[in-house]
C-alpha cells in the first residue's frame, strides 16, 4: 500500500489536491483546540464536512461511497494534543488509494 503526503501549512487553509484521478478541495480549520477537515468538489459543493483530524482509523472509512481510499493522520505529539502551529509539522496527512 502506498501513501502520499498531502503538504500542509501551519494555518487555516483551503487548497486543491488530486486524490487518485479526482481533484478535491480540502479545507482545514482550527476550532476549539482541534483541527477539522472539510472536503469539497472543484465547484465548491460540500462532500464531507467537519471531520476531526485525529489519529487512528481512516478518516474516510464511513464515506467510501463519496471518496474511495484512505486519509490517515500522523500526530507525533506524545499526548496527541493539537495546536494551531502543529499542522504540517507534528500533524501530517496522508492519502492512500486503497
Amino acid at each position: 500500500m502506498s501513501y502520499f503526503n498531502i503538504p500542509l501549512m501551519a494555518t487555516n487553509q483551503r487548497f486543491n489536491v488530486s486524490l487518485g484521478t479526482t481533484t478535491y478541495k480540502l479545507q482545514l480549520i482550527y476550532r476549539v483546540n482541534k483541527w477539522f477537515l472539510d472536503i469539497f468538489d472543484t465547484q465548491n459543493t460540500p462532500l464531507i464536512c467537519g471531520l476531526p483530524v485525529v489519529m487512528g482509523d481512516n478518516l474516510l472509512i464511513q464515506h467510501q461511497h463519496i471518496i474511495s481510499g484512505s486519509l490517515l493522520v500522523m500526530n507525533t505529539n506524545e499526548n496527541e494534543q493539537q495546536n494551531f502551529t502543529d499542522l504540517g509539522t507534528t500533524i501530517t496527512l496522508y492519502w492512500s488509494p486503497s
Side-chain angles (χ1 to χ4, degrees):
M1 183 180 312
S2 19
Y3 292 94
F4 302 94
N5 182 292
I6 298 174
L8 303 173
M9 299 176 294
T11 186
N12 292 332
Q13 56 202 282
R14 189 173 193 164
F15 58 91
N16 289 338
V17 64
S18 292
L19 303 179
T21 59
T22 306
T23 300
Y24 298 96
K25 188 168 289 193
L26 302 186
Q27 175 175 276
L28 289 125
I29 297 177
Y30 191 74
R31 297 182 194 118
V32 193
N33 301 322
K34 275 203 182 310
W35 283 101
F36 289 88
L37 172 66
D38 300 322
I39 303 174
F40 303 86
D41 65 15
T42 53
Q43 269 64 76
N44 290 318
T45 304
L47 300 175
I48 305 169
C49 295
L51 285 174
V53 176
V54 295
M55 279 185 51
D57 293 333
N58 172 9
L59 297 180
L60 298 176
I61 196 74
Q62 296 179 7
H63 306 285
Q64 292 297 299
H65 62 287
I66 299 171
I67 302 173
S68 60
S70 302
L71 273 177
L72 305 167
V73 176
M74 177 181 256
N75 185 342
T76 57
N77 288 322
E78 288 182 20
N79 60 2
E80 294 185 26
Q81 181 178 346
Q82 295 184 8
N83 296 304
F84 184 77
T85 58
D86 289 342
L87 200 62
T89 56
T90 57
I91 298 173
T92 50
L93 184 62
Y94 296 90
W95 180 78
S96 174
S98 54

